[in-house]
């Protein structure tokens, strides 16, 4: 069955262990920030994720970050991270439209591609990205346009690039302000949130 499944059932360690090919493109380690179906993500979840991504981006032994995510709200999370992360390191969102039990499961290849893009020097400075269905989309512009096909996500401006056998090919660079040039800063977000609470009435 390619349409009916339970979300958030497979942990990150199991995902990585089930795809030994990842070791051919990068030194991969996993971390379970939380395990929640994406339609149930809260603002607190988003802040927790953004703070962890910000901390990881500051580490010298981290070249890129891949975030596995459900498709229901991956575009919203990608947009949020585009606004609040201050880094030139690649942050790559990845999801799958079909469960691993489906005959035409897309998760394994999507994850492999995401790791390949996150580890690529060509992805540096391009902001938050979404890799699915062999394409590289801007996290700021991507949206879900259909819920039953593997090419569910696209941007009205077209993809930034494509992925072929682990190699990424870029058509264009994102032109809108993002990540390192953002007016927001995750490290100051707690202060900003406190001010909003005080003057929000």
């Amino acid at each position: 069955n390619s349409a009916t499944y339970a979300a958030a059932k497979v942990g990150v360690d199991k995902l990585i262990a089930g795809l030994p090919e990842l070791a051919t493109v990068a030194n991969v380690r996993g971390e379970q920030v939380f395990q929640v179906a994406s339609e149930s993500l809260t603002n607190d979840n988003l802040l927790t994720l953004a703070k962890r991504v910000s901390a990881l981006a500051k580490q010298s032994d981290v070249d890129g970050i891949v975030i596995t995510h459900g498709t229901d709200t991956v575009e919203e999370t990608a947009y949020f991270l585009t606004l609040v992360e201050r880094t030139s390191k690649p942050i790559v969102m990845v999801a799958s439209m079909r469960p691993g039990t489906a005959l035409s499961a897309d998760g394994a290849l999507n994850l492999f591609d995401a790791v390949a893009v996150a580890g690529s020097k060509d992805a540096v400075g391009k902001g938050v990205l979404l890799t699915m269905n062999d394409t590289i989309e801007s996290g700021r512009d991507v949206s879900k346009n259909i819920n039953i096909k593997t090419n569910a996500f696209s941007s009205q401006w077209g993809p930034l690039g494509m992925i072929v056998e682990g190699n990424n090919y870029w058509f264009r660079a994102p032109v809108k302000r993002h990540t390192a040039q953002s007016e927001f800063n995750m490290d100051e977000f707690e202060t900003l949130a406190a001010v909003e609470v005080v003057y929000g009435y």
Side-chain angles (χ1 to χ4, degrees), residues 133-153:
N133 199 42
D134 301 324
T135 62
I136 307 167
E137 301 283 354
S138 163
R140 183 181 177 117
D141 300 327
V142 72
S143 61
K144 188 176 184 180
N145 300 304
I146 190 170
N147 65 353
I148 56 172
K149 294 189 176 183
T150 55
N151 63 341
F153 288 85

Side-chain angles (χ1 to χ4, degrees), residues 6-28:
K9 297 300 180 186
V10 180
V12 68
D13 290 337
K14 189 172 181 180
L15 283 177
I16 293 171
L19 195 57
E21 293 85 355
L22 293 176
T24 66
V25 291
N27 240 335
V28 178

Side-chain angles (χ1 to χ4, degrees), residues 133-193:
N133 199 42
D134 301 324
T135 62
I136 307 167
E137 301 283 354
S138 163
R140 183 181 177 117
D141 300 327
V142 72
S143 61
K144 188 176 184 180
N145 300 304
I146 190 170
N147 65 353
I148 56 172
K149 294 189 176 183
T150 55
N151 63 341
F153 288 85
S154 62
S155 162
Q156 60 180 325
W157 315 113
L160 298 181
M162 64 182 291
I163 309 154
V164 179
E165 296 180 355
N167 298 306
N168 48 86
Y169 301 93
W170 298 87
F171 308 141
R172 63 185 182 89
V175 294
K176 296 176 184 173
R177 186 171 11 175
H178 60 79
T179 52
Q181 295 83 37
S182 176
E183 63 187 283
F184 302 104
N185 186 344
M186 192 64 244
D187 296 334
E188 299 170 358
F189 205 86
E190 286 180 338
T191 303
L192 292 174

Side-chain angles (χ1 to χ4, degrees), residues 47-62:
L47 285 172
T48 297
L49 177 63
K51 289 174 185 175
R52 188 60 191 137
V53 169
S54 179
L56 287 169
K58 290 179 175 67
Q59 293 182 199
S60 60
D61 62 342
V62 174

Side-chain angles (χ1 to χ4, degrees), residues 5-12 15 31-46 48-49 67-74 77 93-95:
Y5 60 95
K9 297 300 180 186
V10 180
V12 68
L15 283 177
E31 181 177 321
Q32 194 80 44
V33 179
F34 41 76
Q35 192 167 347
V36 181
S38 71
E39 69 272 15
S40 300
L41 283 174
T42 65
N43 290 339
D44 285 341
N45 290 145
L46 287 176
T48 297
L49 177 63
I67 302 168
T68 62
H69 202 290
T71 61
D72 283 348
T73 58
V74 67
T77 300
M93 310 288 298
V94 64

